[in-house]
Amino acid sequence: MLHNLLEKWFFHIQNGGEIIIPIFLLSIIMWTLIFIKISFFLRVKKSENTAKYVGWQREIHSQYQQQRSSNAELNKKTLDSIQSAQQAKSMRYIRTIMVLAALAPLLGLLGTVTGMISTFDVIAISGTGNARALASGISEALITTQSGLIAAVPGMLFGSILYSRANKLSKRIEIFCIGLQHGTTSEE
């Protein structure tokens, strides 16, 4: 089975024209970022299940304690800044994943156009009698379209799931910061 899959990959790379290489590189980068974010959310979930304070809660609390002053307005701005940094950390790479997933079908479409141009070049040179030469351009067009869609569909799906997770984490960060601010305010 793995052997057949590798044969199909090599067939696609050999017959997909020059556009298949950017699609392949885009897929590698996108899947690397997806695995990094999945690993991030798994670590957050594991720490939430085992510890009283999660890593991001400890980071917010320690940064806030270090930067805290006697001015309540300045403390609020400091906590807002720390909250924004943590929320940005939870969203990191997700927009890149979504952009890469959106680019993949466009690259596939570009491959379709270059494949059809190759087909018309063959028609211009040798007419419509050479079916084998026509088939290579059409094959290039269809392989790049298929590859772009194969890269895009799971990328969009995982991007949406990861965005939802990051959004929920961002709301938990906001609630924690509100609680920290009120706890701190009552101490002052």
Side-chain angles (χ1 to χ4, degrees):
M1 179 167 167
L2 183 63
H3 186 263
N4 289 340
L5 189 65
L6 288 175
E7 280 183 9
K8 284 182 181 179
W9 268 102
F10 287 125
F11 176 79
H12 276 71
I13 289 173
Q14 285 177 342
N15 297 314
E18 57 218 24
I19 301 298
I20 198 75
I21 302 298
I23 293 173
F24 185 70
L25 293 175
L26 180 143
S27 290
I28 290 173
I29 294 168
M30 185 182 70
W31 279 104
T32 302
L33 295 177
I34 287 172
F35 285 123
I36 288 171
K37 285 309 289 185
I38 287 173
S39 170
F40 171 78
F41 287 120
L42 287 176
R43 277 185 276 126
V44 167
K45 186 173 183 168
K46 184 179 177 184
S47 68
E48 284 178 344
N49 290 337
T50 57
K52 183 177 178 185
Y53 290 108
V54 186
W56 58 267
Q57 290 174 336
R58 270 183 267 146
E59 280 183 40
I60 290 172
H61 191 266
S62 69
Q63 286 178 5
Y64 182 63
Q65 292 303 321
Q66 289 172 356
Q67 299 174 13
R68 198 171 135 190
S69 69
S70 59
N71 185 339
E73 187 63 30
L74 185 61
N75 286 341
K76 183 180 179 332
K77 288 182 180 177
T78 299
L79 195 55
D80 287 345
S81 172
I82 294 169
Q83 175 187 335
S84 295
Q86 284 294 324
Q87 288 173 328
K89 192 175 175 181
S90 72
M91 286 286 185
R92 187 180 299 155
Y93 303 132
I94 293 175
R95 289 192 176 100
T96 305
I97 292 168
M98 299 289 270
V99 167
L100 292 175
L103 278 177
L106 295 177
L107 285 173
L109 182 62
L110 181 62
T112 303
V113 171
T114 58
M116 293 311 293
I117 288 172
S118 298
T119 302
F120 288 123
D121 286 344
V122 168
I123 291 172
I125 293 171
S126 61
T128 56
N130 189 353
R132 180 171 285 186
L134 291 175
S136 73
I138 294 171
S139 174
E140 178 186 330
L142 294 178
I143 286 173
T144 54
T145 303
Q146 180 188 31
S147 299
L149 291 174
I150 287 173
V153 171
M156 288 294 220
L157 180 68
F158 277 99
S160 298
I161 292 169
L162 292 171
Y163 182 80
S164 173
R165 296 269 176 166
N167 205 19
K168 287 178 184 174
L169 178 59
S170 184
K171 287 179 182 168
R172 289 197 308 265
I173 290 170
E174 183 179 350
I175 290 169
F176 178 77
C177 286
I178 289 171
L180 187 62
Q181 182 184 3
H182 288 294
T184 305
T185 305
S186 65
E187 289 174 7
E188 293 176 348

